Amino acid sequence: MEAETPALVVRPGEAGGATLANGGFELLADGGAVSASRLSLTNGADGAPPHHHKLSHEVFYVLGGTMLFRLGDTLATVGKGGLVVVPPGLPHVFGAAEGEGADVFVVLSPGIERFGYFEQLAAISRGEVDFDSLIPEQDRYDVHFEKLPNWRSAPQNP
């Protein structure tokens, strides 16, 4: 009989963490079938910078508050109980809606070890390191940055 892959169990208080300037990550699973985290954001705070994934789907389930997503050229406001699935290749960015905080469960599949990315992103948000430090890590973490200035505004047609 082949050895089975053991189940992953993360009990309350066992997850790692990364504190953002305006929120924080609870780091639940890193790599394997999924990468999973819980992200809490204060009122109107941005999450990750605009990016896409070449390999992974990213799934967001809003546990509380309201999130704003830019999904390619579409803006979507999603409240508690809402689900967003971002396919590989789609540029996206997200944050708490203006005037609201948000709590969201995030899963990437297949999983790629990303805890280092979240820790570095947290240090950038706190002003401890420069954003440019992540540029050489895009392939490693399957997080490829996009230029989406003023992402909270709907794109204008020329």
Side-chain angles (χ1 to χ4, degrees), residues 12 16 56 69 86 92 99 148 157:
S56 298
F69 293 87
V86 181
H92 61 285
L148 292 175
N157 292 329

Side-chain angles (χ1 to χ4, degrees), residues 58-125:
E58 190 164 19
V59 179
F60 298 86
Y61 180 76
V62 181
L63 300 167
T66 305
M67 293 283 292
L68 179 64
F69 293 87
R70 170 97 175 256
L71 306 163
D73 289 337
T74 302
L75 281 177
T77 302
V78 182
K80 180 180 177 179
L83 178 77
V84 174
V85 179
V86 181
L90 182 66
H92 61 285
V93 60
F94 51 89
E98 291 297 326
E100 293 197 42
D103 186 16
V104 62
F105 180 63
V106 184
V107 175
L108 290 117
S109 180
I112 292 176
E113 292 182 12
R114 287 190 174 93
F115 283 5
Y117 165 75
F118 294 128
E119 290 163 350
Q120 198 166 349
L121 190 62
I124 291 166
S125 81

